[in-house]
Amino acid sequence: MFIKDRTYKLTIAILIIIFGVGLFFSARFLKNSITKATTSSNQNDQSNTLNMDFWEKIKHRFIK
């Protein structure tokens, strides 16, 4: 009984760690995508303009 309980706890701990790492990298990717979309591609543009190509890529990922 002790071995089964220990294996179960270890499996749950590993799954939680994998989930946490996945969540970290997905948040990092999303932050980078939003940064690219909000940064203007031309030096002559206003600083508040959006790069719509990147916004379309971000929206496409959530529509799937």
Side-chain angles (χ1 to χ4, degrees):
M1 187 70 177
F2 177 71
I3 294 174
K4 185 177 179 183
D5 188 40
R6 183 176 161 193
T7 305
Y8 176 73
K9 287 180 181 179
L10 183 63
T11 303
I12 295 298
I14 290 172
L15 288 175
I16 289 172
I17 290 171
I18 290 171
F19 177 76
V21 169
L23 193 61
F24 170 75
F25 282 111
S26 64
R28 190 170 149 192
F29 169 77
L30 187 59
K31 179 183 169 280
N32 288 340
S33 296
I34 290 172
T35 302
K36 284 181 186 177
T38 56
T39 304
S40 65
S41 59
N42 266 338
Q43 298 280 337
N44 298 334
D45 289 344
Q46 296 176 354
S47 61
N48 291 335
T49 60
L50 297 177
N51 188 339
M52 295 309 287
D53 293 334
F54 282 110
W55 275 118
E56 292 301 322
K57 288 179 184 177
I58 293 170
K59 287 194 309 189
H60 178 70
R61 290 190 183 273
F62 288 105
I63 291 174
K64 287 182 180 180

